[in-house]
Amino acid sequence: MSNAPVLTCGDPGIGDALAALLDRYGLQLKRHPEQAPLPGSWWGEPEAGIVGTTVHVRPDTPLHSALHEAGHVICMDAGRRAKLHTNAGGDDLEECGVCYLQILLADALPNVDRERLMRDMDAWGYSFRLGSTKAWFLEDAADARAFLLAHGLLDTDDRLGFACRQAPPPVSADESDATLAPIK
């Protein structure tokens, strides 16, 4: 782990945008105060925690950690997600899919993009065979991408699916048969 500055969940504009992004997947972002314990944190504070479909963060939680843990919730099968507390489990291929997905998720956040997130991942100490996150993403992540494609988590143009693995896709307002009562 490096002391280089990385984007955190407490940086201006990050928390609300992250909450909105996770909401598109049916996940919740629970923001805890500084110094508070984080439920479900595998690595300990300030790293993000996961319990069920909730990602737990503090202002000093690195954004890459929150996106990584959200990626675990998105990538795991429904049975594991239903029992999730702290340990995401999964295999090496799923872990690679999580890393690839967290990079794509960064593009969905304002004032964040994959380039910045990959630099933050390198600064924090992620380790890839080719020496950097960017080299891995561009040259060695075909298996990770194939995993995400196989589970409908992105399309062939790397567009996010905004649904968790084995979850029903979100229904657009045009496709819904729900009706709202008139506002009085």
Side-chain angles (χ1 to χ4, degrees):
M1 183 174 1
S2 165
N3 289 328
V6 297
L7 293 173
T8 66
C9 293
D11 287 341
I14 297 289
D16 290 342
L18 179 59
L21 174 60
L22 297 186
D23 184 63
R24 293 185 73 183
Y25 282 93
L27 308 182
Q28 299 75 44
L29 181 69
K30 173 67 175 161
R31 293 182 247 189
H32 297 269
E34 292 181 21
Q35 304 303 314
L38 286 174
S41 180
W42 176 258
W43 299 106
E45 295 86 10
E47 298 297 315
I50 45 176
V51 178
T53 57
T54 302
V55 178
H56 295 268
V57 300
R58 300 188 319 202
D60 61 339
T61 298
L63 175 61
H64 65 79
S65 176
L67 291 175
H68 188 87
E69 296 307 317
H72 274 298
V73 181
I74 293 165
C75 287
M76 68 179 51
D77 63 57
R80 283 192 7 249
R81 193 168 37 253
K83 300 179 215 169
L84 177 60
H85 196 301
T86 309
N87 185 358
D91 57 23
D92 290 341
L93 181 56
E94 184 177 293
E95 183 69 29
C96 290
V98 167
C99 289
Y100 196 96
L101 180 61
Q102 81 185 91
I103 293 166
L104 296 181
L105 289 170
D107 283 338
L109 294 171
N111 303 314
V112 182
D113 60 21
R114 65 182 68 185
E115 296 290 332
R116 173 58 196 261
L117 195 80
M118 289 188 280
R119 287 192 308 272
D120 283 4
M121 290 168 71
D122 288 341
W124 203 253
Y126 284 70
S127 176
F128 294 100
R129 270 191 304 240
L130 298 183
S132 74
T133 305
K134 185 174 184 175
W136 169 79
F137 184 80
L138 296 175
E139 302 170 35
D140 195 33
D143 56 346
R145 185 172 182 270
F147 172 87
L148 297 171
L149 286 165
H151 293 291
L153 301 174
L154 62 103
D155 69 15
T156 56
D157 292 320
D158 281 356
R159 288 185 299 243
L160 299 169
F162 297 109
C164 291
R165 178 177 167 189
Q166 296 179 335
V171 176
S172 73
D174 294 337
E175 299 170 316
S176 174
D177 62 356
T179 57
L180 298 175
I183 299 174
K184 296 180 182 184

